[in-house]
Each structure stands twice: as C-alpha cells, then as structure tokens.
Amino acid sequence: MADLEGVRRSLEAQRLEAERLEEIKAEKARIKAEEEKKRQEEANLFKRQVRDVTPLPQANIKIHQAKKPPPIARQRELDDEAVLLESISDEMDIERFLETDDKLSYRRNGVGVEALKKLRKGKWVIQAQIDLHGLRSDEARTAVGEFLRSSVKHDIRCVRIIHGKGLGSVGKEPVLKEKVKRWLVQKDEVLAFCQAPPRDGGAGALLVILKARQ
C-alpha cells in the first residue's frame, strides 16, 4: 500500500507540474499576442501618418556600398541570449503560483512544504549569490538567467539574489523585486524561493532552492 501511495503522489505531482507549465505557456502566448497587436497598431498608425507624403526625387543621389564588417564567431552566443530573453517575460502574472503567506513564497509542485519552511528560517546554506544593484532591467534579467544556469552546472543548490529595496530608484519603488519573482517562476532550474530572513538581506533579497545537477 505504501508503494501504491507513493506512486499516486508522484503521478499527482507530475499532473500538477504539467498544469503549471501549460498555464505559463498560455500566459506567454497571451503576452506575445498583445505585443504583436500593439506593434501592428503602431505600424498602421505610421502608415496613416505618412500616406500623403510625397517622396523626394532620386536625382543626384549616389549610393555607397557599406563595407562588410569582419566575421565574428559570436552567432551561437547571440542565439543563446535571444532564447534567454524570449523565455523570461516581465509581464507574467504569477500571483496564482505564489504561496498565500506574508512573504509571497513559491514552491514548485512536488517540492515539500518542509523544504520551504527551512528556507524561510535560513536553514539552507547559501552557496552563491548575485547582486543586481546598479543593473537595468534587461541587464538584470540576463544576469539572473546566466547565474542560475551556472549555479546548476556547478551543483549549487541554494543561492541568494539581492535585488535591493528600491531606495535608490525613482519613487522609491522596488522595481526589480517583483520582476525577479516573475523571472524565477518561469525558470525550470528553480524549485522554490522566499524572501530572505533579516540577517540575509530581508526584503532586499530572495533565497532560492535550485534543482540538482542531472
């Protein structure tokens, strides 16, 4: 009976995880559709604005061929960066994925409650950290993605992400604080996260549990 119960729980966790991934996929599709609609509306607006414009005559115009830059073997790096940026959305609605506690913690389906409790109490050893102070949103997003991949590669299980409290931003709003949560929910490497205890940064940082290296 114990074995059957374990199988049942495993299947239920897999089902919930599949549902979570489908919700994230649907949310990304909705955001992409909205962005495409906005781009189309802007393009149509531009066409309406210039429809009565008469092009200048082409006389006395000489077109110079631009010199081709030397080849740079960075296409794979650019492709990886493009995939990274596309895979993490700033507009993801994550409220339904967060725990209903005062810290708005997160744990993936199949991750035990005890693991998150220990994380909240600072019982996990922080093995690495990244400080996002001074970074723009796009820079921070790229840095977080690279940091998570590197941490998993080196079998680091618990990390701290310092996003700050927004004291130096316009309006004193913690812009990166909410964005980092959105990014983490979308990353497969992340099993759970919560606000750091006071001694580890409090409201200015998150503690994150990562999956083990395969």
Side-chain angles (χ1 to χ4, degrees):
M1 289 297 292
D3 290 342
L4 291 176
E5 180 63 19
V7 171
R8 187 191 67 78
R9 290 181 179 177
S10 176
L11 291 175
E12 179 65 13
Q14 292 177 21
R15 183 185 67 80
L16 293 173
E17 179 65 10
E19 290 180 355
R20 185 189 75 91
L21 293 175
E22 285 299 318
E23 288 180 352
I24 290 178
K25 183 178 179 181
E27 183 68 13
K28 287 183 178 180
R30 182 189 66 79
I31 293 170
K32 185 176 181 180
E34 290 182 353
E35 292 175 346
E36 180 60 32
K37 180 180 178 181
K38 183 178 179 180
R39 283 194 294 267
Q40 190 62 45
E41 290 175 347
E42 291 175 349
N44 291 337
L45 177 61
F46 176 76
K47 290 179 181 178
R48 290 196 296 270
Q49 293 291 334
V50 302
R51 62 187 175 187
D52 297 328
V53 174
T54 302
L56 293 173
Q58 299 296 314
N60 299 322
I61 295 179
K62 183 177 181 180
I63 301 176
H64 297 274
Q65 297 294 332
K67 293 182 179 180
K68 294 183 178 180
I72 301 176
R74 291 188 61 246
Q75 188 57 49
R76 177 172 296 180
E77 295 179 9
L78 294 175
D79 290 342
D80 290 344
E81 182 176 352
V83 170
L84 173 65
L85 293 177
E86 183 180 354
S87 65
I88 309 178
S89 170
D90 289 345
E91 306 300 328
M92 174 68 65
D93 179 12
I94 63 170
E95 294 302 318
R96 62 184 180 278
F97 299 121
L98 301 180
E99 298 283 319
T100 54
D101 57 22
D102 60 341
K103 307 297 184 185
L104 291 180
S105 307
Y106 164 80
R107 64 184 174 94
R108 179 175 293 192
N109 293 321
V111 177
V113 177
E114 285 302 315
L116 189 55
K117 286 183 178 179
K118 289 181 179 179
L119 188 65
R120 291 195 194 105
K121 295 178 180 179
K123 297 294 181 66
W124 282 74
V125 177
I126 299 173
Q127 298 171 281
Q129 70 175 29
I130 183 173
D131 191 340
L132 305 179
H133 280 103
L135 298 183
R136 297 193 300 271
S137 179
D138 286 346
E139 294 173 336
R141 178 172 53 182
T142 301
V144 168
E146 292 175 350
F147 174 67
L148 295 178
R149 289 202 307 274
S150 176
S151 295
V152 172
K153 180 180 179 180
H154 293 88
D155 205 21
I156 292 174
R157 299 299 313 281
C158 182
V159 300
R160 174 170 53 189
I161 298 179
I162 304 172
H163 48 65
K165 300 179 181 179
L167 300 180
S169 62
V170 178
K172 307 297 183 183
E173 291 294 329
V175 178
L176 285 181
K177 180 176 182 178
E178 296 306 317
K179 286 190 175 183
V180 169
K181 290 180 181 179
R182 290 188 176 95
W183 301 339
L184 293 180
V185 167
Q186 298 173 66
K187 297 302 293 180
D188 290 338
E189 297 96 326
V190 176
L191 298 182
F193 66 76
C194 70
Q195 179 176 300
R199 68 174 182 273
D200 291 322
L206 292 174
L207 299 186
V208 186
I209 300 176
L210 301 176
K211 69 179 182 182
R213 182 176 61 185
Q214 298 298 319

